[in-house]
Amino acid sequence: FTGCTKGTPAGSRCTYAEAINYCNDLVLGGHEDWRLPQINELETLINYGRKTPAASTTVFPSMKSIWYWSVTENPLYSSEAYYVNFNLGEVLSASKTNVDGLFVRCVRGDELQVSYSFTEHTHNGDTIVTDVRTGLQWTKERFSQNWQGALNYCENLNYGGCSDWRLPNIFEMKSLINKDAKQPASEFPDFLSGDWIWTSTTNVDEPDKAWYVFSAVISVSSFSKTTSRTFYCVR
């Protein structure tokens, strides 16, 4: 990458500042309006049904199975920025001056804007939260079990007069997370900070693990399915 100094050979990876400058200076395909993607834009490339890389190799044949920068700062630690590890699809943060550097994939076009709005209604003493943007309905109450227990619990749940609940998949659970929010990283009503929240999506590389979302800041990784963790049900 022109202007980058990290990696072996030198210049094959970038610091955070170098990555921003590289994309801003890039002229490619007759376009000069490239930029470093936001984390929610970069996440759209993840395919959790694949590994090494967890992305389409037909569309992105040069995708590396390692870290790619986003422009989004960690709201808890301004010295860090979010990245996607395209080995499996983890979303975490790293020091902007990471000694090894990270890879870069630039994007162009209007920034992906996401608005968050939730409504609540109570039926038979149970409160259902509706995500106005996606139309998904969620249990306001959260529960705690291991992964298989969480799957079974949601599928057998009668809550708010409804019986078609299920454990949310990774994309549904991530739809509640706001990249600009922290402790908690969501406007979901009474969302608690510090929860590791189950999804129904299995880690394709380690089937004894499933993906979770961390509620304090953006963080997506996987746990052993035997671990007891928080979960919500969705319909």
Side-chain angles (χ1 to χ4, degrees), residues 36-118:
L36 194 63
Q38 301 177 84
I39 188 61
N40 57 332
E41 295 169 331
L42 188 59
E43 284 183 287
T44 65
L45 305 187
I46 301 172
N47 180 349
Y48 286 100
R50 286 185 47 88
K51 62 178 181 178
T52 57
S56 170
T57 54
T58 300
V59 180
F60 301 105
S62 64
M63 181 72 81
K64 307 293 184 183
S65 301
I66 198 167
W67 305 359
Y68 279 77
W69 280 121
S70 84
V71 74
T72 308
E73 291 186 351
N74 184 327
L76 280 180
Y77 308 104
S78 59
S79 62
E80 297 183 359
Y82 290 115
Y83 67 85
V84 172
N85 183 349
F86 279 99
N87 181 39
L88 293 173
E90 285 185 307
V91 181
L92 298 167
S93 63
S95 169
K96 294 176 180 178
T97 56
N98 185 284
V99 293
D100 296 319
L102 278 64
F103 284 99
V104 181
R105 187 173 294 280
C106 306
V107 70
R108 60 181 294 270
D110 294 337
E111 290 189 357
L112 182 61
Q113 301 297 326
V114 181
S115 60
Y116 299 89
S117 178
F118 300 94

Side-chain angles (χ1 to χ4, degrees), residues 86-161:
F86 279 99
N87 181 39
L88 293 173
E90 285 185 307
V91 181
L92 298 167
S93 63
S95 169
K96 294 176 180 178
T97 56
N98 185 284
V99 293
D100 296 319
L102 278 64
F103 284 99
V104 181
R105 187 173 294 280
C106 306
V107 70
R108 60 181 294 270
D110 294 337
E111 290 189 357
L112 182 61
Q113 301 297 326
V114 181
S115 60
Y116 299 89
S117 178
F118 300 94
T119 62
E120 303 177 52
H121 75 273
T122 301
H123 182 78
N124 292 341
D126 299 322
T127 300
I128 294 176
V129 178
T130 300
D131 186 334
V132 175
R133 179 172 62 92
T134 64
L136 292 173
Q137 292 189 320
W138 298 81
T139 60
K140 186 174 183 181
E141 185 177 354
R142 68 193 202 288
F143 315 97
S144 182
Q145 290 198 33
N146 64 29
W147 184 78
Q148 188 62 56
L151 282 176
N152 295 340
Y153 189 89
C154 289
E155 290 174 3
N156 292 293
L157 179 64
N158 193 316
Y159 181 97

Side-chain angles (χ1 to χ4, degrees), residues 13-44:
R13 300 188 192 182
C14 313
T15 66
Y16 174 77
E18 290 172 344
I20 291 175
N21 291 336
Y22 173 80
C23 288
N24 288 346
D25 294 340
L26 181 64
V27 178
L28 181 68
H31 300 287
E32 301 180 4
D33 56 345
W34 297 97
R35 56 183 173 80
L36 194 63
Q38 301 177 84
I39 188 61
N40 57 332
E41 295 169 331
L42 188 59
E43 284 183 287
T44 65

